[in-house]
Amino acid sequence: MRVMGIDPGLRNMGWGIIDVAGPRISHVANGICRSASSDDLATRLLSLFDQLTAIVETYRPDSAAVEQTFVNKDAVATLKLGQARSVALLVPARAGIPIGEYAPNAVKKTVVGVGHAAKQQVEHMIKLQLPGAKLEGPDAVDALAIAITHSYHAQSSSRLQDALRKAAS
C-alpha cells in the first residue's frame, strides 16, 4: 500500500509518501509545495493545487492522510490555513483516493509516543523509521509522520475488520 501524508499550509504544504508492506514501511519521496506570498490568495491556492496534483499523478498513492487544522488566535490566518487544507483534501479526493484525517497530537503520539512531542523529537523518530531518507524540511517531516500514522491506523482497522468477519462466520 502506498500512503501519502499531507501537512497543509498556504506558504509551505509538506508532502510525504511511504510504501507499506505489513509491518515494514519504506520511504518513497517527500517535499514541499510552495506558494508565493506576493501572489493573491486564489493564485496561491491554484499553485498548490497544481503542484499537489502533479505529485499524486507521479506517485499514485493508494490512500492519503491530512493533518486536521487547529484554531489559531489569528482568525484570518486560521481561515487561510483552512483554505489550503481544502486543497490538501480536494486533490486526493478528485483522484479517487480515500483520505484519513488526524489531529496533530494523535500524529505525535503515534510517531513519538507523546502527544505533545517537540518537532525535533518527531524528526528524530522519522529518521529512525525511514533510514536514509533525505528530508526536505519540517513540513515534509510532518507529512511523513502523518503518512506513518495513517498506515498504522489503516493496518489496525484492517485487522479489526478481519477479526469481526471471522467472528461473524
Side-chain angles (χ1 to χ4, degrees):
M1 170 173 71
R2 181 161 283 184
V3 180
M4 178 179 204
I6 305 170
D7 180 32
L10 185 57
R11 180 176 292 145
N12 297 316
M13 183 176 291
W15 61 273
I17 300 184
I18 60 172
D19 279 338
V20 182
R24 304 188 86 181
I25 60 171
S26 58
H27 176 262
V28 175
N30 72 88
I32 300 170
C33 300
R34 300 185 197 291
S35 72
S37 57
S38 58
D39 289 341
D40 63 84
L41 180 61
T43 302
R44 294 176 77 181
L45 293 171
L46 178 60
S47 173
L48 292 172
F49 179 88
D50 289 342
Q51 291 174 67
L52 204 55
T53 298
I55 293 160
V56 167
E57 289 171 354
T58 299
Y59 294 103
R60 304 210 180 276
D62 301 306
S63 64
V66 177
E67 187 172 73
Q68 291 175 339
T69 303
F70 58 91
V71 178
N72 291 317
K73 292 178 182 163
D74 180 358
V76 173
T78 301
L79 183 59
K80 287 180 180 179
L81 177 59
Q83 291 167 324
R85 190 170 176 276
S86 295
V87 170
L89 291 166
L90 180 62
V91 170
R94 186 169 184 246
I97 300 168
I99 305 163
E101 299 178 67
Y102 300 94
N105 286 350
V107 173
K108 291 175 183 177
K109 185 157 180 74
T110 300
V111 175
V112 178
V114 179
H116 293 286
K119 283 198 170 281
Q120 296 86 352
Q121 291 174 296
V122 174
E123 182 175 346
H124 177 73
M125 291 306 292
I126 294 301
K127 287 178 178 177
L128 286 176
Q129 293 183 49
L130 302 172
K134 182 179 180 291
L135 304 175
E136 296 297 327
D139 300 296
V141 169
D142 289 348
L144 287 167
I146 294 160
I148 290 170
T149 298
H150 186 64
S151 74
Y152 290 165
H153 285 267
Q155 288 180 27
S156 296
S157 177
S158 176
R159 285 193 293 271
L160 176 61
Q161 294 302 320
D162 289 345
L164 291 172
R165 276 194 290 279
K166 286 179 184 177
S169 40

